Amino acid sequence: MDYNILVSSSPPLDKKKGIRKSRKTKFKDIPKDVLKKIVAQLASKSFIDFMNAKQTSKEFLEVANDKYVLQHVNVREFEPISWFHNEKAIKFLNSCKECENPEALFKLGMVEFFNERKVESGLQLLKKAAKKGHVGAIYVSGIILICYGGQLKEEGIGLLSTCKSLRSRLVECRKDAKQIISNIWINNYIESSRNDQKEATCNCNGGRRSTAWNMDDHVDPNSLCDGCLWNLEARKFCNMLRT
């Protein structure tokens, strides 16, 4: 169903006068489940339109805080620097987080892990967002696990390898993470270990060049095996943290 039709359909034409009659949509006659989907669809596209819709009718206002709606609210444009000292913004984002909004889980996870040094809870938020398919969260949580090394490194490589589109979105994911990090004070750094890199025994470009660490973004990610690719990306991410 195109829920936009219910919201923005044109009023009927008065053929005698050649003008359109004004018509108010009777939102109270729309089933609540349908109304939730209308507001959720609107909220997923634009936060501003979502806020405006809440003022349209009491019916919209009633469903605006529904768990389903808050799961879909677009909070991508929320920058940490703008809501650190804004109690309403923090409260709203936490409400979205409690409703498992993937972007809210990702942003708050980044802040908790890298700024507030809440390492365990921050990583858990990132993992929750990752389970919901948030590509940025898959990227960051996977890189963190790789940097932890040992068995967690294998878990991180496994997590990153499950996202088939990630190889083609590495620069985008690193850029998105950098945008958030640039708006917070970093109090928790992670380190990638050169000594923990994959041995140069594979047949990918990383193996043939003896090491993947010195490769730049012009190297085709698809020409590297998982071990070489994610070891390389972990180092790039850690370098990015310090710049």
Side-chain angles (χ1 to χ4, degrees):
M1 177 185 293
D2 185 355
Y3 300 109
N4 291 319
I5 294 176
L6 295 172
V7 179
S8 60
S9 57
S10 300
L13 180 67
D14 187 329
K15 294 182 179 180
K16 292 182 179 180
K17 297 182 179 181
I19 59 174
R20 292 191 181 277
K21 298 178 181 178
S22 61
R23 182 181 70 187
K24 293 183 178 180
T25 306
K26 296 181 179 180
F27 293 114
K28 65 180 180 180
D29 296 332
I30 301 176
K32 184 159 288 188
D33 286 345
V34 175
L35 202 60
K36 288 178 185 178
K37 292 182 179 179
I38 296 172
V39 179
Q41 186 185 64
L42 188 67
S44 68
K45 294 179 179 179
S46 169
F47 178 75
I48 294 177
D49 288 346
F50 166 65
M51 296 302 292
N52 289 336
K54 291 171 65 174
Q55 302 176 44
T56 301
S57 70
K58 65 177 183 180
E59 288 81 16
F60 272 12
L61 184 61
E62 287 175 359
V63 300
N65 292 322
D66 183 84
K67 180 178 180 180
Y68 178 80
V69 174
L70 292 179
Q71 281 179 343
H72 292 81
V73 175
N74 183 352
V75 294
R76 184 173 174 80
E77 301 306 319
F78 274 49
E79 296 298 344
I81 197 170
S82 67
W83 46 262
F84 265 162
H85 304 293
N86 187 323
E87 291 185 5
K88 288 185 178 180
I90 293 174
K91 183 178 180 180
F92 179 76
L93 278 172
N94 278 318
S95 295
C96 291
K97 179 195 74 175
E98 294 303 320
C99 294
E100 299 190 347
N101 178 302
E103 187 67 28
L105 289 168
F106 173 59
K107 286 187 180 295
L108 292 172
M110 290 286 286
V111 171
E112 286 197 14
F113 187 91
F114 291 105
N115 174 261
E116 299 177 356
R117 291 186 179 180
K118 297 178 180 178
V119 176
E120 292 186 8
S121 62
L123 183 56
Q124 287 306 311
L125 289 177
L126 290 170
K127 283 184 173 182
K128 278 188 178 181
K131 286 182 179 180
K132 288 186 166 294
H134 191 288
V135 178
I138 294 173
Y139 171 80
V140 175
S141 57
I143 293 297
I144 290 172
L145 291 172
I146 287 175
C147 291
Y148 281 171
Q151 190 172 356
L152 290 177
K153 175 183 176 180
E154 297 304 316
E155 181 185 340
I157 291 176
L159 174 61
L160 292 164
S161 301
T162 60
C163 185
K164 302 302 181 183
S165 66
L166 191 51
R167 281 177 173 255
S168 62
R169 298 174 63 179
L170 289 178
V171 176
E172 174 192 341
C173 288
R174 201 183 317 129
K175 182 179 178 181
D176 288 346
K178 184 176 181 179
Q179 184 175 356
I180 295 176
I181 287 169
S182 65
N183 282 294
I184 60 178
W185 189 265
I186 301 298
N187 292 316
N188 180 41
Y189 290 92
I190 53 176
E191 296 287 348
S192 60
S193 173
R194 290 173 182 265
N195 296 326
D196 197 27
Q197 61 183 289
K198 182 178 176 66
E199 293 294 331
T201 56
C202 61
N203 292 319
C204 75
N205 277 344
R208 290 196 293 272
R209 297 187 189 191
S210 298
T211 177
W213 292 106
N214 295 321
M215 293 185 186
D216 57 28
D217 287 326
H218 299 294
V219 176
D220 181 7
N222 293 316
S223 68
L224 303 178
C225 68
D226 286 341
C228 287
L229 174 64
W230 299 124
N231 277 320
L232 167 64
E233 191 59 34
R235 186 172 181 222
K236 287 184 177 181
F237 183 87
C238 292
N239 288 342
M240 179 268 291
L241 283 180
R242 296 192 173 279
T243 57

